[in-house]
Amino acid sequence: MRDIQQLVSELTLDEKALLTSGASMWTTQGIDRVGIPSVTVTDGPAGARGPTLPAIGAQVPTLCIPCGSALGATFDTELIEQIGNALGHQTRTRGARVLLAPTVNLHRSPLFGRNFECYSEDPVLSGHLAAAFIRGVQSHGVATTVKHLVGNETEFERLTIDTVIDERTLREVYLLPFEIAVREGRTLGIMTSYNRVNGSYCAESPWLLRDIVRGEWGFEGFFVTDWFAGATTEGAAQAGLDLEMPAPARAYGKFLAQAVTQGRVDEADLDRAAITLLSVFERLGALDDEPMASHPIDLPEHRALARRAAASSIVLLKNSPVAGTPLLPLRTQDLTSIAVIGPNAERARIMGGGSAEVRPHHRTSILSSLVARLDETVVVRHESGGSIDKSTPMIDGGDVMTDTGSPGFHVRVFDGTPGSGVELTTFDRPDGRLLLAGRNEPGVPTSGYHFIADGLVSVAHSGAYIVSLVQVSPCQLSIDGRVVIDGVTETPPRGEAFFGMGSEEMTAVVELQAGRTHRFELECDAGNKQWVHGAQIGLAPIETGDPIQRAVDIARQSDVALVVVGTTNDWESEGHNRRTLALPGHQEELIRRVAAANARTVVLVNTGAPIAMDWADDVAAIAQIWFGGQEMGDAVIDVVFGQQDPGGRLPMTIPDTIEHTPAFGNFPGEHGQIRYGEGLLIGHRWFEARQLLPRFPFGHGLSYASFDVQEPRADNLEIATNGAIDGTGSLSFSVPVTNEGERAGAHVVQIYIAPISPRVHRPLQELKAFAKVHLAPGETTQVRFELGPRDFAYWDPGDAYRNALQPQVTGERSFRTLDRSGRWVVDPGLYEVRIASSSADIDHTMTITIHGSNITD
Ligand code: BGC
């Protein structure tokens, strides 16, 4: 154990300041003189990617778990803790001590681009899953950074948008998962968000960081900025930010040292940051680390866990009888032929896009997993039904080869401008993503160079192809010696790819022949000073005929049609929101026409967030399969054929139309602001308050088993309160649940509280607890719950809220100037405790009485 106070007192001002900034994209600064090592961090949350940029530069494979919303759908804290455990282990093998996860922003609008990364619309579900994940990860000497604090629920103007939100909503909804992550999960890190909240950047809000998170919740870990987020030196230091990432420093590091010297920042604030960081590193054991290489591990138990998690996340939304029996699970013995249809059948989409992307150890696709599972006598037919690519798909390693026969392109890097220069280094890249990141790649300078990548492309069928380039620096693409796309002479405008660094897509139509190779050569000018250079090359055949008709034809010839629809990591990604709930391409028509051709049609929805399901009444069975991680193909087949129960329940409401959703009209933001106008009524609370019928309600999901949820047995139906949450009373009860079906299955008991005649505006019901039980046929279990005063409380913002509305009183419309008289309040009265199987399916209610007096009168 090192004495951290003592260690910090031995550091010079410059050394202390250095500690608060990054050394590179993924490492903190070490101080050799006193033996403080640099610490490596890695994204999160889909896996431990290691110290590489998402989808840029060389990628090392890692375990890819199901996306956040899939994990949300498991409602299973035990499973999520095991997932956390696996990721903690993976993080250590990547030489890292910090995992940039979990993401606990909420599904406020179904169109938020990062919903797939976040667990749920519900703060309590998100918080408890996050706490479980954190416990698992941190048991390996790895710190989590729960992110992004707070109000980060749009990608519109994402680095500057101002989230306008009232304090009660902030406390009861958006801060709550962070609070649970701190109090229950004991996270050692928190990442502040890019956005502002009511005018102040989160990284420099003393009210959020110092008063609430540290002061009220007792957080002892470190605050780190989001990558390249803005903050002022003085503001961040006073608020209590500890670490600015990544390098080069913008507000901290040498700028913090200068600010202390010039008296703009108190040295005590710098000391506190250095002590906090080093104390966490000490707790992790990181201060004794030798430099660690990254050794990816691919363990059978991690694969098995990822598969179980993917199956546990699948939500069976609908399962109608066809000829008297529910369509799912399919019985192999009844099957002679099956049509596997849809753009995502052959290439299952296992993760969303952006910083959460990893290179998986391997991928499973629904089509290949199905073929592997079925007897050879069963005829499997496949049609994609049409493309849904947002842009031309990248050339795959299987279609291109270097002169020496390796898959991919051979890259030669030269000094100076195109046409000249000394060769600096060469290497191969596995596919058409030819992006080089100077600071991250051995032998590649940050600027002032150019590179040539060439490969031999072969195609299966002769004909017309679309070839495309999305560039981050000027590039030219030639095929067989002829320039076909020139992004040098005519620079395209910026697009959305690569976090907004990429250009809009440039395309050309070319004729390619089967049976020969075509030489593709990309020349890229990397003269400018920027941290990534290069381009992505895409290639796709031009579609001919009617792909939907081909799908209908095979559906008609087969016993069952399995239709895998969805989005991709381009449609659902960090960096931009979705524009509509509609499935991309012509997938809705595909579903309708296939269902008309075959009554035994199962639709599998491969997305991270809800899509419109106007076709839901036309098909017999629907399952939401999310972005299920690397084992998704096998997990889906496990559920479709009944080896696993579909364990998932909806962690968000699936609406009928976007106009019915709570954020409609207040999303994605405009004029620099996004207003949380629906206040407390996030998700199902809005649908209930406005009496709108969703397509499928929050918490819904069918099982192959059937459960009898019996009357709860309460120890007490009355509790006493002193009006505040430190009152002594609590309510305990147990719920007997029996599996009355013939198969093993999982049930989620959901507990909602509904105040009867509340004194203030409250949602009609709020989820307060949940438990997942796995039961064998005939088995009964008692599920135990305990609810405390806080579960019945609301936040009274006191004077703070009134001051916020009167800028002339405080002089400035900012949280920083508000007084602190807000508090949690429990009103006496009657409350309904609902034991439910979904927000719309209540099994039992208990009316309980809270005695006491109002403290706010
Ligand atoms: C994301 C973070 C991520 C960071 C590092 C940012 O763009 O918002 O979630 O951890 O990049 O990749």
Side-chain angles (χ1 to χ4, degrees):
M1 283 282 284
R2 289 173 80 169
D3 180 342
I4 299 300
Q5 306 265 357
Q6 174 63 30
L7 179 60
V8 169
S9 71
E10 285 164 18
L11 298 176
T12 66
L13 176 66
D14 287 342
E15 285 171 339
K16 284 187 287 193
L18 209 57
L19 283 176
T20 64
S21 62
S24 72
M25 193 71 175
W26 307 110
T27 51
T28 65
Q29 292 277 4
I31 312 283
D32 288 345
R33 185 181 70 80
V34 287
I36 298 174
S38 156
V39 171
T40 301
V41 309
T42 169
D43 268 315
R49 191 178 58 244
T52 59
L53 294 159
I56 296 173
Q59 303 285 310
V60 179
T62 193
L63 172 72
C64 174
I65 60 161
C67 72
S69 44
L71 298 182
T74 67
F75 275 72
D76 192 338
T77 46
E78 226 171 273
L79 176 69
I80 302 304
E81 186 165 340
Q82 290 170 27
I83 288 276
N85 241 297
L87 285 200
H89 187 173
Q90 292 276 332
T91 304
R92 295 290 288 116
T93 65
R94 313 314 305 275
R97 284 286 191 177
V98 177
L99 180 69
L100 306 176
T103 312
V104 297
N105 299 113
L106 299 178
H107 291 228
R108 177 175 172 260
S109 164
L111 302 182
F112 173 40
R114 297 184 83 167
N115 276 345
F116 71 88
E117 221 181 299
C118 312
Y119 295 125
S120 170
E121 70 181 27
D122 187 85
V124 169
L125 175 61
S126 304
H128 291 306
L129 295 183
F133 180 86
I134 292 164
R135 281 194 298 272
V137 173
Q138 292 195 164
S139 67
H140 287 265
V142 170
T144 52
T145 66
V146 54
K147 64 191 187 181
H148 313 82
L149 185 83
V150 59
N152 190 170
E153 277 97 9
T154 182
E155 288 298 273
F156 174 72
E157 298 181 354
R158 71 190 203 118
L159 299 182
T160 52
I161 189 90
D162 186 15
T163 299
V164 179
I165 182 167
D166 67 273
E167 188 188 343
R168 185 172 163 205
T169 300
L170 196 58
R171 297 277 196 160
E172 290 185 29
V173 182
Y174 296 93
L175 279 175
L176 185 53
F178 291 95
E179 182 178 355
I180 300 173
V182 169
R183 290 189 195 268
E184 186 187 312
R186 312 214 73 79
T187 184
L188 290 170
I190 292 180
M191 186 188 287
T192 54
S193 57
Y194 285 129
N195 55 281
R196 292 172 285 162
V197 169
N198 297 334
S200 302
Y201 281 104
C202 295
E204 45 180 38
S205 166
W207 181 69
L208 274 176
L209 273 47
R210 191 191 57 205
D211 299 349
I212 297 184
V213 181
R214 283 206 195 285
E216 293 179 25
W217 304 348
F219 176 58
E220 291 175 358
F222 62 87
F223 288 109
V224 55
T225 59
D226 198 345
W227 265 228
F228 302 107
T232 61
T233 308
E234 295 87 336
Q238 279 154 22
L241 180 82
D242 303 296
L243 176 62
E244 181 194 52
M245 283 298 283
R250 301 164 310 279
Y252 268 21
K254 63 180 182 205
F255 302 106
L256 190 48
Q258 271 166 22
V260 170
T261 312
Q262 293 165 3
R264 288 182 285 120
V265 166
D266 196 337
E267 190 164 359
D269 285 332
L270 169 57
D271 287 353
R272 186 205 32 73
I275 290 170
T276 306
L277 274 172
L278 293 179
S279 304
V280 171
F281 295 162
E282 164 73 13
R283 250 160 103 162
L284 298 174
L287 290 185
D288 300 322
D289 281 349
E290 295 296 327
M292 281 178 288
S294 176
H295 297 295
I297 44 159
D298 182 7
L299 298 176
E301 57 268 34
H302 286 176
R303 286 189 179 207
L305 177 64
R307 180 166 169 174
R308 188 152 59 82
S312 292
S313 77
I314 293 176
V315 184
L316 183 58
L317 294 171
K318 175 175 179 184
N319 193 18
S320 301
V322 180
T325 330
L327 183 49
L328 289 175
L330 299 178
R331 280 154 288 266
T332 32
Q333 63 273 25
D334 301 345
L335 218 56
T336 59
S337 58
I338 183 164
V340 187
I341 292 167
N344 289 9
E346 194 171 12
R347 174 141 194 237
R349 301 297 172 159
I350 64 170
M351 59 188 144
S355 62
E357 278 183 66
V358 298
R359 182 163 160 217
H361 279 307
H362 76 142
R363 288 170 184 268
T364 54
S365 93
I366 294 170
L367 179 62
S368 59
S369 298
L370 178 87
V371 170
R373 198 73 60 88
L374 289 177
D375 200 279
E376 276 164 14
T377 56
V378 181
V379 180
V380 181
R381 304 182 177 95
H382 168 61
E383 284 290 340
S384 80
S387 148
I388 57 162
D389 294 320
K390 196 173 178 193
S391 52
T392 316
M394 172 182 76
I395 294 193
D396 192 72
D399 302 329
V400 60
M401 199 171 69
T402 64
D403 282 327
T404 54
S406 322
F409 286 86
H410 183 61
V411 180
R412 283 167 294 150
V413 180
F414 302 92
D415 204 3
T417 51
S420 64
V422 180
E423 189 172 289
L424 298 175
T425 179
T426 69
F427 44 83
D428 291 348
R429 274 295 159 81
D431 50 35
R433 188 161 285 175
L434 298 161
L435 299 175
L436 310 191
R439 269 193 290 274
N440 283 267
E441 317 218 22
V444 180
T446 43
S447 58
Y449 70 99
H450 68 282
F451 72 85
I452 296 174
D454 69 317
L456 299 168
V457 171
S458 19
V459 293
H461 305 282
S462 300
Y465 284 75
I466 292 193
V467 60
S468 75
L469 264 198
V470 175
Q471 66 181 31
V472 292
S473 54
C475 291
Q476 264 187 351
L477 177 70
S478 21
I479 300 180
D480 299 329
R482 185 174 69 87
V483 175
V484 291
I485 299 180
D486 182 355
V488 176
T489 18
E490 273 180 64
T491 327
R494 269 195 176 215
E496 287 179 341
F498 314 126
F499 304 94
M501 293 182 304
S503 69
E504 278 184 4
E505 186 179 46
M506 301 172 277
T507 58
V509 175
V510 295
E511 287 289 327
L512 300 180
Q513 283 165 25
R516 59 162 286 201
T517 54
H518 295 273
R519 182 171 293 278
F520 278 47
E521 189 174 279
L522 180 83
E523 182 160 30
C524 172
D525 182 353
N528 285 348
K529 234 178 166 329
Q530 61 194 49
W531 57 277
V532 183
H533 292 99
Q536 172 170 306
I537 310 177
L539 182 70
I542 291 182
E543 236 163 42
T544 53
D546 178 357
I548 296 188
Q549 189 54 46
R550 290 200 293 270
V552 169
D553 291 343
I554 64 161
R556 197 169 282 132
Q557 293 158 25
S558 308
D559 296 342
V560 173
L562 214 55
V563 187
V564 192
V565 295
T567 58
T568 65
N569 56 345
D570 271 344
W571 292 106
E572 289 187 67
S573 173
E574 177 179 343
H576 54 86
N577 299 308
R578 279 190 301 159
R579 298 211 169 91
T580 142
L581 272 187
L583 278 168
H586 300 286
Q587 297 183 91
E588 292 182 4
E589 184 189 342
L590 174 71
I591 297 169
R592 285 211 164 91
R593 284 173 58 190
V594 166
N598 190 329
R600 294 162 68 84
T601 291
V602 178
V603 178
L604 303 173
V605 183
N606 181 196
T607 62
I611 44 117
M613 295 188 184
D614 300 345
W615 40 266
D617 293 339
D618 301 343
V619 303
I622 310 171
Q624 177 74 40
I625 60 172
W626 314 108
F627 296 141
Q630 64 178 44
E631 309 298 332
M632 172 169 164
D634 286 342
V636 168
I637 300 305
D638 290 342
V639 168
V640 165
F641 287 97
Q643 274 106 333
Q644 290 285 335
D645 195 41
R649 302 294 181 265
L650 282 180
M652 81 294 281
T653 310
I654 298 191
D656 236 343
T657 71
I658 193 65
E659 290 80 3
H660 284 181
T661 58
F664 183 75
N666 283 314
F667 185 87
E670 59 192 17
H671 305 131
Q673 289 190 327
I674 179 161
R675 295 181 175 276
Y676 284 28
E678 72 289 357
L680 303 169
L681 301 180
I682 190 170
H684 70 87
R685 303 166 174 200
W686 170 268
F687 286 82
E688 289 152 6
R690 296 289 180 267
Q691 301 186 355
L692 294 165
L693 266 189
R695 174 70 65 185
F696 291 107
F698 174 84
H700 170 72
L702 306 172
S703 161
Y704 295 150
S706 59
F707 296 94
D708 180 30
V709 179
Q710 291 128 56
E711 286 280 347
R713 293 173 197 155
D715 300 350
N716 53 323
L717 288 175
E718 300 188 10
I719 51 178
T721 172
N722 59 3
I725 51 162
D726 52 2
T728 48
S730 78
L731 176 73
S732 21
F733 57 98
S734 58
V735 181
V737 183
T738 304
N739 180 354
E740 294 191 322
E742 282 157 18
R743 295 166 165 275
H747 180 72
V748 178
V749 184
Q750 303 167 35
I751 308 296
Y752 296 85
I753 291 187
I756 300 173
S757 312
R759 246 172 19 116
V760 295
H761 162 72
R762 299 194 74 169
L764 292 176
Q765 58 174 5
E766 293 172 28
L767 181 78
K768 291 298 175 184
F770 58 91
K772 191 171 204 177
V773 290
H774 303 266
L775 294 176
E779 193 183 346
T780 298
T781 191
Q782 306 286 334
V783 194
R784 187 109 196 118
F785 293 97
E786 179 147 336
L787 300 173
R790 175 70 189 269
D791 296 314
F792 296 86
Y794 58 86
W795 180 258
D796 173 356
D799 298 331
Y801 183 53
R802 284 191 284 280
N803 285 348
L805 293 179
Q806 293 171 13
Q808 70 278 16
V809 173
T810 59
E812 189 191 333
R813 197 185 179 129
S814 151
F815 276 125
R816 253 178 284 167
T817 57
L818 305 181
D819 67 38
R820 299 272 50 84
S821 52
R823 61 196 153 180
W824 292 104
V825 170
V826 186
D827 279 344
L830 298 179
Y831 293 79
E832 226 173 63
V833 174
R834 298 176 173 170
I835 290 91
S837 295
S838 86
S839 58
D841 181 5
I842 294 160
D843 299 301
H844 300 284
T845 58
M846 295 187 294
T847 302
I848 71 127
T849 310
I850 296 193
H851 296 286
S853 55
N854 290 317
I855 60 161
T856 50
D857 287 342

